[in-house]
């Protein structure tokens, strides 16, 4: 369980890091913004079926702030990524950012991940073809004209020009992995793509075909997460992304199930704050979605039941609804981490009990899953360093008691020692595995069922802790959302959870550890805003360097020159 939980936590940690890394790549594929009217700069020229877009700031002050985060090791890794991409994209083609790009480019750039075909081959076994397009708004047309009038000589391949629908396109041909295509759209945008077909599709959109800006709910949703001076803005086209992921998944999704997908889009605005990175996000359903969201924001009490030294916690307002929505949505999700049928069949084969009828049926209330460190007195070698604690508010106490007692009897047949005990002065049941090892304690706190696995941590939450998690300094600094009321939270004290002195977990691979070591904590809050819209606020609290020294990247203090 610890290994499985660690993997899921890593997904959250790595997601935050990859978002930053994606922004770096976006910048170095050239950078910008311009005087456009789009909800996202460039959205009016990016095809509507783009799978993903990243808009990133070119403000050197923002990049300087980004460089203040982390550890010396993460800073070195960050700068290597920046330098390598700069050398591949700019220097290798004879360009430097300061002298060639900065004089004319705007304040943001959009990088779009496009299908080369307008209709994705969702039932094909052939790999989907994808290309990258960089849309650079032109802030200074005269300076841009100077650059285009004197192109740099190329060392490999040849430059070929063609005309597509009245627009001149220049392409580098004959160089593997560097088939760049460049075009200027009026005096508004300069576009660079990795495939001629992608350039043609952007020109088609510029000439009037459906654009990202025309997508249902796109403009209205982005308006709700608008922030001052965002460092980046990211958008996912969920139907297209699901179809693409299905083609590359070991569990491909049928065309019929893909068509059942209700979600339309997900977007996030990324802001650099003094002590970390904030994510303000939104997801919305298709305009013709048959399923509507239940506007329930009932996650109010569970985190008050956990002690302030809790390492990790997930909470929500209605476990039954969460499970049902997940089970339904996983049919069209090729990367769903846990197939619902695997849970159902696993429980059935091991206990003979029905997951939905015997358990989910009475779990309509609030819930939490947490990782709590063992009391300091428990230091003996071989002991668990922490315990998992599951709590759920029962909506049918009689049904719950019946199922849990049936489970007790099943555990007896598995050679577990099942005995009555006390937990916080109240009756409880303890299971002990054969030959010792794993132990489980289950009981009730009022109408809340709890179960612990691993270290004996019942005394940390029974009676209700005087210093709860929600009042701890690190929680308040990390879970700082104004989404109140809300539908759930996620929190992890990364410093302690991944510290081998606290938990005996396997050492992370160096390429992951360098980023995890730069993080203090992560917090996420969700809320259902309407029957079509869900909001998410996240914050990654980062360590900070005492002083950020100048490094190669988008900073006015940096000099770049062609090799």
């Amino acid at each position: 369980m610890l290994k499985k939980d660690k993997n899921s936590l890593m997904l959250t940690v790595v997601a935050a890091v990859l978002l930053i890394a994606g922004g770096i790549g976006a910048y170095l594929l050239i950078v910008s913004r311009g005087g456009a009217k789009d909800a996202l700069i460039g959205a009016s020229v990016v095809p509507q079926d783009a799978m993903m877009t990243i808009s990133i700031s070119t403000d050197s002050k923002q990049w300087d702030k980004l460089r203040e985060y982390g550890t010396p090791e993460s800073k070195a890794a960050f700068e290597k990524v920046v330098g390598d991409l700069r050398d591949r994209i700019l220097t290798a083609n004879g360009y430097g950012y300061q002298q060639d790009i900065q004089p004319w480019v705007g304040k943001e750039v959009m990088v779009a991940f496009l299908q080369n075909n307008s209709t994705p081959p969702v039932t094909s076994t052939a790999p989907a073809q994808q290309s990258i397009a960089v849309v650079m708004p032109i802030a200074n047309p005269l300076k841009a004209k100077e650059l285009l009038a004197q192109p740099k000589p190329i060392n490999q391949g040849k430059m070929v020009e063609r005309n597509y629908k009245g627009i001149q396109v220049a392409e580098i041909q004959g160089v593997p992995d560097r088939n760049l295509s460049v075009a200027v759209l009026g005096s508004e945008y300069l576009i660079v793509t990795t495939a001629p077909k992608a350039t043609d599709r952007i020109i088609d959109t510029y000439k009037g075909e459906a654009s990202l800006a025309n997508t249902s709910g796109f403009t209205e949703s982005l308006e709700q997460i608008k922030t001052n001076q965002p460092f980046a803005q990211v958008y996912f086209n969920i139907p297209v992304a699901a179809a693409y992921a299905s083609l590359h998944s070991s569990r491909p999704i049928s065309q019929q199930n893909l068509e059942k997908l209700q979600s339309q889009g997900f977007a996030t605005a990324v802001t650099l704050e003094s002590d970390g990175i904030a994510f303000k996000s939104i997801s919305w359903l298709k305009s013709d979605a048959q399923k509507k969201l239940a506007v329930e924001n009932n996650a109010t009490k569970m985190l008050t039941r956990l002690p302030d030294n809790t390492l990790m916690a997930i909470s929500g307002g209605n476990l039954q609804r969460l499970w049902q929505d997940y089970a339904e949505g996983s049919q069209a999700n090729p990367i769903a981490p846990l197939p619902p049928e695997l849970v159902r069949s696993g429980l059935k084969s091991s206990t003979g009990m029905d997951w939905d009828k015997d358990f989910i049926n009475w779990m309509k209330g609030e819930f939490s899953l947490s990782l709590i460190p063992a009391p300091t007195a428990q230091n003996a070698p071989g002991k668990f360093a922490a315990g998992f604690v599951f709590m759920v508010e029962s909506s049918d106490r009689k049904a719950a008691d019946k199922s849990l007692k049936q489970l007790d009897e099943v555990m007896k047949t598995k050679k577990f020692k099942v005995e009555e005990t006390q937990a916080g002065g109240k009756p409880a049941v303890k299971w002990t595995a054969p030959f010792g090892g794993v132990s489980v304690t289950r009981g009730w706190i009022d109408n809340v069922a709890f179960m612990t696995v691993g270290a004996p941590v019942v005394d940390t939450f029974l009676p209700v802790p005087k210093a709860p998690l929600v009042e701890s300094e690190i929680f308040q600094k990390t879970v700082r959302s104004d989404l109140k009321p809300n539908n759930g939270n996620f929190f992890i004290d990364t410093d302690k959870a991944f510290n081998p002195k606290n938990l005996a977990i396997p050492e992370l691979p160096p390429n992951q550890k360098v980023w995890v070591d730069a993080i203090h904590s992560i917090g996420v809050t969700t809320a259902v805003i309407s029957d079509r819209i869900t909001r998410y606020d996240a914050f990654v609290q980062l360590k900070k360097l005492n002083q950020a020294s100048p490094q190669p990247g988008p900073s006015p203090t940096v000099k770049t020159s062609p090799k």
Side-chain angles (χ1 to χ4, degrees):
M1 289 184 69
L2 183 58
K3 180 179 179 182
K4 178 179 172 183
D5 188 71
K6 186 201 76 173
N7 290 338
S8 65
L9 297 180
M10 274 305 302
L11 290 176
T12 305
V13 174
V14 172
V17 174
L18 287 180
L19 186 55
I20 302 168
I24 298 167
Y27 167 77
L28 289 162
L29 288 171
I30 312 185
V31 202
S32 133
R33 175 188 169 170
K37 301 177 182 179
D38 310 335
L40 283 179
I41 298 302
S44 62
V45 297
V46 171
Q48 190 174 62
D49 62 355
M51 183 171 71
M52 174 184 176
T53 67
I54 303 174
S55 294
I56 193 109
S57 170
T58 61
D59 183 352
S60 61
K61 292 181 180 179
Q62 295 237 46
W63 283 85
D64 288 343
K65 178 180 281 190
L66 185 63
R67 286 191 170 93
E68 295 175 1
Y69 301 138
T71 63
E73 292 77 15
S74 68
K75 179 180 172 68
F78 174 88
E79 299 300 352
K80 185 178 187 305
V81 172
V82 171
D84 288 349
L85 288 172
R86 177 206 62 202
D87 292 343
R88 276 183 54 195
I89 304 302
L90 294 177
T91 309
N93 291 300
Y95 291 91
Y97 173 74
Q98 273 194 294
Q99 60 267 39
D100 297 314
I101 308 300
Q102 192 178 51
W104 59 266
V105 83
K107 297 178 181 178
E108 293 176 5
V109 66
M110 175 178 281
V111 179
F113 296 82
L114 306 176
Q115 305 168 114
N116 287 352
N117 300 310
S118 58
T119 303
V122 293
T123 58
S124 171
T125 57
Q129 297 298 311
Q130 181 182 269
S131 53
I132 297 173
V134 185
V135 180
M136 297 174 286
I138 298 172
N140 189 327
L142 293 178
K143 291 292 184 180
K145 186 177 180 180
E146 290 177 9
L147 175 72
L148 296 171
Q150 298 179 337
K152 306 285 185 180
I154 59 175
N155 299 323
Q156 300 181 56
K158 62 178 180 178
M159 181 71 74
V160 176
E161 293 192 4
R162 63 184 177 92
N163 186 291
Y164 182 76
K165 295 187 176 181
I167 292 178
Q168 287 298 114
V169 180
E171 296 170 353
I172 297 177
Q173 297 181 354
V175 183
D177 301 323
R178 220 174 88 200
N179 295 323
L180 297 181
S181 179
V182 182
V184 177
L185 307 181
S187 61
E188 301 169 87
Y189 301 103
L190 187 150
I191 61 171
V192 180
T193 77
T194 59
K197 180 65 176 176
T199 300
D200 294 351
R201 296 203 63 216
I202 286 185
I203 293 174
D204 290 340
T205 306
Y206 179 68
K207 294 288 186 177
E209 291 196 7
S211 72
L212 184 61
N214 305 136
T215 301
S216 173
F218 179 82
T219 301
E220 300 87 343
S221 297
L222 265 66
E223 186 65 25
Q224 295 189 47
I225 58 170
K226 187 175 181 179
T227 62
N228 292 327
Q229 296 183 321
F231 175 71
Q233 295 182 82
V234 182
Y235 162 74
F236 286 94
N237 184 327
I238 294 178
V240 175
Y244 182 85
S246 178
L247 288 172
H248 296 80
S249 172
S250 58
R251 297 187 292 110
I253 304 300
S254 69
Q255 174 68 29
Q256 182 179 9
N257 281 333
L258 283 171
E259 290 175 353
K260 293 179 181 178
L261 190 63
Q262 304 288 308
S263 298
Q264 176 62 57
F266 175 90
T268 187
V270 184
T271 306
L272 306 183
E273 299 189 3
S274 60
D275 55 345
I277 302 176
F279 302 83
K280 193 174 183 179
S281 309
I282 190 169
S283 65
W284 63 99
L285 302 180
K286 295 177 180 178
S287 57
D288 60 350
Q290 296 179 354
K291 180 179 175 61
K292 301 299 181 183
L293 301 174
V295 185
E296 291 182 344
N297 294 294
N298 303 324
T300 60
K301 300 177 182 177
M302 278 299 175
L303 296 184
T304 65
R305 299 180 181 275
L306 304 177
D308 60 356
N309 65 341
T310 299
L311 302 176
M312 182 277 297
I314 302 170
S315 69
N318 185 327
L319 182 56
Q320 183 187 90
R321 188 176 300 283
L322 177 66
W323 169 260
Q324 290 173 344
D325 289 344
Y326 175 78
E328 182 178 339
S330 67
Q331 297 177 359
N333 184 356
I335 58 173
L338 188 64
E341 286 308 315
L342 187 62
V343 176
R344 291 171 173 137
S345 61
L347 184 71
K348 190 71 174 179
S349 61
S350 61
T351 68
M353 300 182 70
D354 187 291
W355 171 248
D356 294 279
K357 292 180 180 179
D358 293 328
F359 295 100
I360 290 297
N361 188 49
W362 52 267
M363 296 181 175
K364 297 180 183 179
E366 289 188 63
F367 70 94
S368 69
L369 176 65
S370 58
L371 182 64
I372 300 175
T376 55
Q378 193 201 22
N379 304 340
K383 294 289 186 179
F384 288 98
F388 283 100
V389 181
F390 172 65
M391 297 183 183
V392 61
E393 187 177 21
S394 170
S395 53
D396 186 338
R397 177 67 179 265
K398 184 178 180 180
D401 276 327
K402 179 181 177 181
S403 294
L404 291 171
K405 289 177 181 178
Q406 182 180 345
L407 187 58
D408 291 340
E409 295 303 314
V410 171
M411 299 312 293
K412 290 179 182 178
T413 68
K414 304 291 182 181
K415 308 302 182 183
F416 275 69
K417 181 181 179 182
V418 179
E419 57 186 334
E420 294 184 357
T421 185
Q422 290 285 308
K426 296 183 179 181
V429 176
K430 184 178 180 179
W431 310 338
T432 305
F435 311 109
V438 176
S439 66
V440 174
T441 301
R442 71 163 190 85
W444 289 90
I445 311 171
D446 299 327
N447 204 37
V448 174
F450 72 84
M451 181 175 287
T452 73
V453 181
V457 294
V458 173
D459 290 343
T460 66
F461 60 84
L462 275 177
V464 175
K466 294 180 180 179
L469 174 63
V470 292
E471 294 181 6
S472 69
E473 182 180 5
I474 188 169
F475 184 90
Q476 293 187 354
K477 284 184 175 180
T478 308
V479 184
R480 53 176 74 180
S481 171
D482 59 1
L483 293 175
K484 297 176 182 177
N486 60 65
N487 194 40
N489 291 279
F490 168 80
F491 165 79
I492 179 171
D493 184 334
T494 315
D495 268 340
K496 295 179 180 178
F498 290 92
N499 186 335
K501 294 181 180 179
N502 297 324
L503 293 178
I505 60 176
E507 184 80 6
L508 293 173
N511 61 336
Q512 296 179 12
K513 186 175 185 300
V514 67
W515 302 111
V516 173
D517 286 348
I519 299 173
H520 276 308
S521 56
I522 299 172
V524 182
T525 303
T526 69
V528 181
I529 304 302
S530 72
D531 62 2
R532 293 187 61 246
I533 294 173
T534 305
R535 280 269 289 105
Y536 312 83
D537 284 347
F539 185 72
V540 180
Q541 187 182 22
L542 296 168
K543 298 172 185 175
K544 293 191 69 174
L545 295 165
N546 293 331
Q547 185 176 2
S549 58
Q551 295 290 339
S555 169
T557 62
V558 177
K559 300 295 183 182
T560 57
S561 58
K563 290 181 178 179

